[in-house]
Amino acid sequence: MLMKWLAGIFLIGLLAYAGWNIYAVQKSPKEGIEEGMKAPDFTLETLSGKSTSLSDYKGKKVLLNFWATWCKPCRQEMPDMQELQKEYPDVAVVAVNFTSSETNSQTVKSFADTYHLTFPILIDKSGVNADFNVLSYPTTYILDENGTIQHIRVGTMTKKEMKQKLDLK
């Protein structure tokens, strides 16, 4: 009789555990590069050689921008990105440079110095831009505090558009 009770309790516990796991998996967004998905994590070096991961910014809204120095629209939006970072320090502006298309890393550093950029510029020699299916520059991903992609924009964004997509006042 005691064995039947223990087996019943064990079975109920097992079913509850399975139900909870199914609920937890359905509740969290799948990883991917489309709106509503959790952005895939990556680790790259900054211009100063420090290793940085996208997951380091969890808990903050993120403007993840893919760009290159030779891209004229990228040059247009960089000052707006810098102003946004200054005005909203709780928002992470992260710029991933398409480094394999650059002459060298010094070109990227000179660009950052010219535009007085203070947000992290990540050097992409490993193909993260391809992982995000970036076909045109600039391409910007807006992520919420949990790393979920809220918006994808191919082309230049103004500061006003950045604020709107980040839901800033």
Side-chain angles (χ1 to χ4, degrees), residues 20-34:
W20 175 256
N21 280 331
I22 290 169
Y23 170 76
V25 167
Q26 288 177 347
K27 188 173 181 181
S28 60
K30 292 182 180 179
E31 187 176 285
I33 57 169
E34 296 177 17

Side-chain angles (χ1 to χ4, degrees), residues 6-163:
L6 288 175
I9 291 171
F10 178 74
L11 184 59
I12 290 170
L14 191 59
L15 289 172
Y17 178 74
W20 175 256
N21 280 331
I22 290 169
Y23 170 76
V25 167
Q26 288 177 347
K27 188 173 181 181
S28 60
K30 292 182 180 179
E31 187 176 285
I33 57 169
E34 296 177 17
E35 290 181 11
M37 298 180 128
K38 186 174 178 3
D41 196 18
F42 60 84
T43 302
L44 295 172
E45 286 189 4
T46 64
L47 277 174
S48 61
K50 178 184 171 195
S51 222
T52 302
S53 297
L54 183 59
S55 58
D56 293 343
Y57 302 102
K58 187 172 173 121
K60 289 186 165 196
K61 292 180 180 182
V62 177
L63 185 144
L64 177 62
N65 180 265
F66 292 89
W67 68 285
T69 61
W70 45 262
C71 161
K72 288 182 182 181
C74 299
R75 292 178 190 183
Q76 291 174 324
E77 74 179 357
M78 284 291 171
D80 284 347
M81 289 169 51
Q82 179 60 39
E83 283 182 32
L84 183 84
Q85 183 67 88
K86 275 183 156 178
E87 193 174 330
Y88 297 93
D90 54 326
V91 171
V93 173
V94 180
V96 178
N97 177 261
F98 182 33
T99 312
S100 59
S101 73
E102 303 287 357
T103 309
N104 55 46
S105 293
Q106 185 56 43
T107 304
V108 181
K109 175 137 180 49
S110 296
F111 182 95
D113 292 344
T114 299
Y115 287 89
H116 309 289
L117 304 178
T118 60
F119 49 81
I121 295 177
L122 307 182
I123 303 301
D124 182 16
K125 295 179 183 175
S126 61
V128 170
N129 60 57
D131 295 342
F132 277 77
N133 202 28
V134 176
L135 301 174
S136 179
Y137 296 93
T139 295
T140 303
Y141 284 75
I142 303 293
L143 312 179
D144 69 11
E145 294 86 350
N146 297 314
T148 302
I149 300 167
Q150 300 299 310
H151 182 74
I152 303 168
R153 172 69 176 266
V154 177
T156 308
M157 290 181 78
T158 64
K159 182 180 168 190
K160 181 180 178 181
E161 290 170 320
M162 292 173 197
K163 287 173 62 172

